[in-house]
Amino acid sequence: MSRRPRLGAIALAVTVAALLTACGGDDGDSSAAPSEDAATSETPAAEEAPSGTVTVLAAASLTESFETLADQLQDTYPELEIVYSFGPSSGLVEQVLAGAPADVLATADTKTMDQAVAGGVVDGEPEIFARNTLALAVPAGNPGNVTGLADLANPDLRIAICEPQVPCGGAAQRLLDAAGVTAAPDTLTTDVKEAASLVALGEADAALIYLTDAAAEGDAVETVDVPEADAVVNDYPVAVLSEAANAEGARAVLDAITGEPGRGILTEAGFLEP
């Protein structure tokens, strides 16, 4: 019986070219007499550049940002193929713990990443690369006349909230607890993208989703001000996996996520800096 990862979302292929800079690498013949023009003949050791396929399992809320990152990396790393699989963080961790082949894991909270660390599938310490907060999202025009978190307890409204085991669901519960609201959800979604889609399509009157996902829906979704939301923040960690088949390529992708252009792309999408 084989188990395969649920590669439900988006797979991107990015071809990458020269990664390592410098290193002139060639030791040359040190015993030979120095030549005056030796310094002009060095070229980068292109054969040392990372190549092959890197599989990245990433939280659904990172979809648009990581797709943009892949587009930007294409020119820089044309010989490295990046395959993304987006989904709920808890589900991604379950896949990794079950032995699903992958090189990099990026989750939407530290709780799920901690499960991967405890399971011994992470190489080294995860790095926090972004943070995110929730928004109370409603369809364009706010047909349910939602004015605040208290309306999530209204049984006459169609409410969508993430399942409690996924990061957006955990954050939603913390926010509701802080506001003293007991929500009456009609739908518990498997990830934040499903909740955002229900609102955008007008199939839910309100949902608690990440601010970045509300922004990603464009004019189809509006947000209602929730002052308490700033107090509930999810940290996003990323790590190379211990069984990564392409550890060198995985490290190059992680460096891109935690550095530039990743930092700029995530900030533009509405993520907070760590």
Side-chain angles (χ1 to χ4, degrees), residues 19-101:
L19 187 91
L20 294 183
T21 59
C23 243
D26 297 333
D27 291 329
D29 183 357
S30 59
S31 65
S35 171
E36 291 183 357
D37 60 354
T40 64
S41 62
E42 301 298 332
T43 57
E47 66 274 8
E48 296 180 7
S51 60
T53 300
V54 173
T55 300
V56 180
L57 305 184
S61 50
L62 294 166
T63 301
E64 291 83 6
S65 296
F66 275 17
E67 287 177 343
T68 301
L69 177 63
D71 290 341
Q72 292 198 12
L73 287 175
Q74 188 169 16
D75 291 337
T76 309
Y77 306 114
E79 293 181 2
L80 187 65
E81 182 183 40
I82 303 174
V83 177
Y84 286 130
S85 176
F86 299 105
S89 298
S90 55
L92 298 176
V93 171
E94 288 178 3
Q95 292 170 25
V96 173
L97 292 175

Side-chain angles (χ1 to χ4, degrees), residues 15 18 36 38 45 52 86 97 119 124 127 133 144 151 166 184 192 204 231 234 247 267:
T15 348
E36 291 183 357
F86 299 105
L97 292 175
E127 297 183 42
T133 57
D151 288 320
V166 301
V192 69
N234 275 15
T267 300

